[in-house]
Structures are given as C-alpha cells and as structure tokens.
Amino acid sequence: MTGELDPRGILFPSGLPEFHRVPAPAELADLARWFWIPEWRLAPGETSHQEVLPFPACNLTVQAGSGGPARGGDAGATVGLTGPTTRISQRELSGSGWAVGALLRPGGVSALRLSPAELRDLEVPFDAPGLAGAVSDAMVGADPPDVPGRHYVPGVPEAAGRHERAAGAFGRWLAEHAAPPDPAALTANELEELIRTDREVVHVDRLARLLGLSTRSVQRLSLRFIGLPPLAVIRRYRLQEAALRLREHREVTIAEIAAELGYSDQAHLGADFRTVLGFAPGAYRRGSR
C-alpha cells in the first residue's frame, strides 16, 4: 500500500488485492480526500472475498474487470457511483481488473450536484463523459511515452507512476466538471473533518458547539452533504477506529477500547459492531489474525 493511507475501514488487510491510495492535490482538497486504486489478477476459478467498513462518504469509481459497482469486463471501463453505506461492504473479486475511485468529500458531493441521502446503500451507473477513457489510458496504456506497447501488469516497478497518472487524470476531470463548493458545503467539510480527527467528538451537541451552529443545523448539513445523520457519521468513524485497535493492539481489552472511544460500556460497542458488521468485537479480533 502506498500514499497517505488511513488504515481505518480496512477490516482484513492481508486479504486485500494490490491496493494504493494517492492523496488528492491541494487544489482539489475541498472535493476529494484521496484516489484509491486496487488491482487484482486471480487464477481461473479463484475468487477473493473482500469486506470493508466504508468511510461515510460517496465514491465515484472507474472500473474494469470483475468485482465492483461497474461490471464492464476487461474490454472496457465503466463509471459507477456508490452512496454512503449503513453497513459493511462486501465484494467478490475474480479474474483480473482494476479500479480507480475518488473518495468524495461533502464539497465534492455538492460540486457534482449529488443527493447522497438518495444514494444511501446504493451503487448506480454515473454519466461522466470522458472520465473512463482518460483513466483507462493512464492505467492500461503505454507507460512513459517513449516506451510504446507496455501494458498494465500488476506489481511492475512502473506501477507507482501509472497510479499517479491515473489519479491525475481523474483529478483533472473533477476540476473541469465540478462546480466550486458553496459555503454550506465547505462548512460540511469542516463538520466531517472534525468528526474524523477529533476523538472527543462523540456527541452531536459537542460537534454543534465546535462549529458554532445549532444541533438542528448540524443535522441538516450532515444529511444534505453526507447522506447520513451526524450521529451515524460519528459512530462510523468510532467503529473504524475500534476495529483498527482490536486488530493492531491486542493487549488492550475490548472494554478499554470502548471507554477510549466514548462508548458508555463494552456492551454498546458490541451492539454497534453486530448491527453494522454482523459480528461481535471478540469474533473480529480472533478472525483478523
């Protein structure tokens, strides 16, 4: 894995295909957090089961191959839009393929005129003229211009350059097609960033105080630009953090993790885990080995 990788949300890292993240450039920071790029090539008849606890956000994705929202096959790439989820995301990968996705910030959702609440738990095709071709040229075409005919092979040394070019092509499309975020969208960016980075934000009223807004205004912003209630966004980041600690800090008890993340007790963390992930914290800790 490369780039500024936030490990939260990746439930079973050892089971991932080749996976990379490229941070969005500064001029797109209000629109996208990063571009994520998985590549896979599996033996005939082999499948790879992927489980991810997604970030509370929309993703715009270009994909070629089998295993995601855009099922165009290796002959061509297609574009799909994934809305915010209320549960774990599961996929079956087979054959060979790649994807290049943009994790959209609330400002990017606004700039593309999306309605995230209407996309909740959905994957839909997205009309993005020129995007699939531009990203495919970077992922599948010749590597540098002076080396014609060199095509996509996962794991080759040129991969990092190919990923940077694919992210650059995606970013140029966003810059060309996205409208500037309005002030409300930028406030929603601030809302999401506070939840993501401040572990003391475990209640909506604290979030409202930090933003200088009413609780009702925070609720409206979250639903309009993220597609989920603010408490659901808080819980998603706390669940991601809990899963990371369960996996990487086995010396810390489940009760201690619950207390550190603002849960009233271990039972409430367990209830959130079972509701969203479908299994208990202890089972996850054992299975993540």
Side-chain angles (χ1 to χ4, degrees):
M1 300 179 187
T2 61
E4 295 181 0
L5 177 63
D6 185 336
R8 292 180 293 186
I10 300 172
L11 295 176
F12 302 99
S14 63
L16 281 178
E18 185 177 339
F19 185 78
H20 308 264
R21 282 184 183 148
V22 179
E27 61 270 21
L28 296 178
D30 289 334
L31 304 181
R33 188 167 297 283
W34 56 58
F35 301 95
W36 48 271
I37 308 174
E39 301 181 79
W40 64 94
R41 180 163 292 166
L42 302 173
E46 182 181 357
T47 61
S48 176
H49 183 70
Q50 304 293 317
E51 291 183 307
V52 176
L53 182 58
F55 287 87
C58 291
N59 285 270
L60 183 62
T61 307
V62 178
Q63 180 168 303
S66 174
R71 305 180 189 279
D74 290 330
T78 51
V79 183
L81 179 66
T82 306
T85 68
T86 59
R87 54 185 179 270
I88 195 172
S89 174
Q90 300 179 330
R91 300 187 186 281
E92 292 288 342
L93 302 181
S94 62
S96 62
W98 54 263
V100 181
L103 181 72
L104 299 177
R105 301 197 66 198
V109 167
S110 170
L112 292 175
R113 300 177 177 86
L114 305 177
S115 299
E118 296 178 5
L119 295 166
R120 195 178 301 165
D121 291 323
L122 293 178
E123 298 176 354
V124 298
F126 187 79
D127 184 19
L131 178 58
V135 172
S136 294
D137 286 347
M139 287 296 290
V140 184
D143 221 276
D146 59 340
V147 186
R150 179 173 293 172
H151 294 286
Y152 151 70
V153 178
V156 298
E158 297 85 355
R162 185 177 68 248
H163 298 151
E164 292 287 345
R165 288 195 299 277
F170 207 135
R172 286 189 292 275
W173 186 92
L174 274 178
E176 181 180 347
H177 290 82
D182 61 29
L186 295 178
T187 302
N189 277 355
E190 185 180 357
L191 177 155
E192 187 265 345
E193 185 68 10
L194 279 170
I195 296 174
R196 190 180 77 91
T197 59
D198 189 341
R199 292 176 178 171
E200 295 185 4
V201 175
V202 294
H203 300 293
V204 178
D205 57 353
R206 176 175 175 81
L207 182 61
R209 287 196 300 273
L210 290 172
L211 292 169
L213 299 173
S214 68
T215 299
R216 182 58 184 155
S217 294
V218 168
Q219 291 169 341
R220 285 196 298 265
L221 276 174
S222 187
L223 287 170
R224 177 183 172 189
F225 293 105
I226 300 176
L228 298 168
L231 185 57
V233 179
I234 292 170
R235 285 178 171 171
R236 176 59 53 87
Y237 276 112
R238 299 295 86 80
L239 269 182
Q240 288 183 332
E241 183 74 18
L244 177 66
R245 296 197 190 191
L246 286 165
R247 186 175 69 246
E248 297 190 356
H249 301 280
R250 297 179 182 275
E251 74 284 358
V252 182
T253 68
I254 297 174
E256 289 171 335
I257 291 172
E260 290 171 3
L261 295 178
Y263 285 92
S264 57
D265 54 36
Q266 180 176 334
H268 282 82
L269 172 60
D272 267 5
F273 239 79
R274 285 186 290 272
T275 297
V276 178
L277 278 73
F279 41 75
Y284 172 70
R285 171 169 270 179
R286 293 188 296 271
S288 64
R289 291 181 184 277

